[in-house]
Amino acid sequence: MASSPPSATTLSLLDKIADLSDGLKNGRQGAREGLLDACTSLVSEISNPSEMMLRLLWSQPAHISVLWMAVEIKLFQAMESSPESGEIVTDIAKKCDNNVDPVLVGRMLRHLAAMGTVRETGPHTYALTPISRAFAEPAYQDSILYIADNFAPVHQTLPAYFRENNFKSPGSGVDGPFQYAYNCKGTHYFEWFQKRDPEMGRRFASMMETWSRGRPRWFYEEYYPVNERLISGAEKDTPFLVDVGGGSGHDVEGLREAFEGQLPGKLVLQDRPEIIDIAKIGAGVEGMAHDFLTEQPVKGARAYYLHSIIQDWNNEVNTQILKAIVPAMKKGYSKVLVNDFVVPNQGAHWAQTCLDWELMASLGARHRTETEHRQLYEGAGLKITGIFQHPNSLDSLIELELA
């Protein structure tokens, strides 16, 4: 049977891919990201339903399962010494853990090669790719284990949860899909890590660290003009920026390093005591244990920065977080900087939509549109004075001042 002529959408995507391919060759900014999205759209457009079913329901779940097994037997570590030309399965298997069957290793590598995770260089011969080489790192292994092992029960029980809750979107951080799956109603996701499963919490933190790699940082000149919006007009010898709920210090340390010697005041990292104890911060950054639901102790700072905080909580809790900061702010001077997704009303990216689903399942939370962001901040006595975005980034930097 003759194949159908390509649709107008297919032809448009092919033209777009050709243009972006030239852009990638010539170093055009954003060409790589655009090409990834266009190629993904083309696969969906030209696949028939059964092909898409096989890809989504067979190949991808099997891929996750094989990755999980690869962590268990340290497959990627075993391949780190393999030459670029590759190594035969039996030799790779000898270097794996658990006295694994070479036949099993061969079956795993065959699917990993089919999915592009490793490179097949000859019959029964495989080599690492940049992706699988990264998967040998502890942080990526933690990410695989968190998704495949720790969070899978939440996805598996979602239909049952919604049947029992009349198919309404959850809005509680202590009575949602995560609590249903783990039978821990009344215990928040982060509290579970702290009190019941520290290893799960460690894997989660490790996963979030990998998530931030390679992404444009909020203080890049093309993202948010720090010199113009913060340093200019800042008072000397007063707190410059407070990283509220800043974890181990990834953002505040990045800011300190990027503007070494240029910041007029000190930086403060705030989080739970056990997080501050292990924070990786240098000279010029003060670690401070603080519960962001209570009044902000650092008064009159130039900026209070919240990265991926607003997305993790419902409006009621977020209003409490913001109102705890408002009394510490100096009108006309202090700013709140929210580094989060602003979801478009049309054409949201898959990274935004899938994370929104994960936020719902884990925290009873969600991403917000610009209108929803504005409504939240206005209810806390703040106003948006700017929304900034890097051309290669999906998240935004929302600048707020006292209303």
Side-chain angles (χ1 to χ4, degrees), residues 268-282:
V268 180
L269 172 68
Q270 295 179 336
D271 213 299
R272 300 192 307 273
E274 68 274 13
I275 300 298
I276 294 299
D277 286 343
I278 61 172
K280 301 172 184 177
I281 51 178

Side-chain angles (χ1 to χ4, degrees), residues 68-84:
W68 188 1
M69 282 295 300
V71 174
E72 291 289 324
I73 66 171
K74 292 185 168 53
L75 173 63
F76 300 128
Q77 290 92 327
M79 296 178 69
E80 285 185 298
S81 60
S82 300
E84 287 292 317

Side-chain angles (χ1 to χ4, degrees), residues 317-396:
V317 175
N318 276 321
T319 300
Q320 187 177 350
I321 292 170
L322 294 167
K323 284 188 173 181
I325 296 173
V326 164
M329 297 175 68
K330 182 178 179 181
K331 191 171 179 63
Y333 176 76
S334 299
K335 302 176 187 291
V336 173
L337 305 177
V338 174
N339 200 176
D340 216 333
F341 282 131
V342 178
V343 180
N345 291 323
Q346 182 178 358
H349 192 272
W350 64 262
Q352 296 169 321
T353 55
C354 74
L355 185 52
D356 177 67
W357 190 259
E358 300 291 343
L359 289 171
M360 177 203 71
S362 57
L363 297 164
R366 61 189 173 89
H367 284 146
R368 292 167 174 81
T369 63
E370 181 178 335
T371 298
E372 291 167 334
H373 274 288
R374 288 186 184 276
Q375 292 171 344
L376 171 63
Y377 305 135
E378 288 172 0
L382 297 163
K383 62 180 180 182
I384 294 179
T385 51
I387 299 178
F388 302 82
Q389 189 174 29
H390 190 279
N392 296 339
S393 176
L394 291 170
D395 54 7
S396 300

Side-chain angles (χ1 to χ4, degrees), residues 49-183:
S50 61
E51 288 171 334
M52 188 57 69
M53 181 197 75
L54 291 173
R55 182 179 298 276
L56 294 176
L57 303 183
W58 291 19
S59 69
Q60 291 182 5
H63 194 193
I64 292 174
S65 178
V66 171
L67 288 172
W68 188 1
M69 282 295 300
V71 174
E72 291 289 324
I73 66 171
K74 292 185 168 53
L75 173 63
F76 300 128
Q77 290 92 327
M79 296 178 69
E80 285 185 298
S81 60
S82 300
E84 287 292 317
S85 57
E87 191 171 15
I88 62 172
V89 169
T90 51
D91 288 344
I92 294 172
K94 290 174 184 176
K95 296 183 287 183
C96 292
D97 279 8
N98 299 313
N99 193 30
V100 63
D101 178 5
V103 174
L104 177 61
V105 173
R107 298 173 78 174
M108 293 168 64
L109 286 167
R110 192 177 298 123
H111 189 55
L112 291 172
M115 299 301 289
T117 303
V118 300
R119 186 162 48 91
E120 192 171 24
T121 60
H124 312 295
T125 307
Y126 299 89
L128 291 177
T129 62
I131 294 171
S132 48
R133 193 171 297 280
F135 283 175
E137 298 176 22
Y140 283 96
Q141 301 238 315
D142 286 337
S143 303
I144 293 167
L145 290 174
Y146 177 82
I147 293 299
D149 185 12
N150 298 122
F151 208 70
V154 182
H155 286 295
Q156 292 295 322
T157 55
L158 275 174
Y161 167 84
F162 281 114
R163 282 195 295 268
E164 291 190 19
N165 289 274
N166 299 314
F167 291 91
K168 293 182 179 178
S169 288
S172 170
V174 294
D175 186 14
F178 178 81
Q179 288 74 25
Y180 183 87
Y182 277 85
N183 192 27

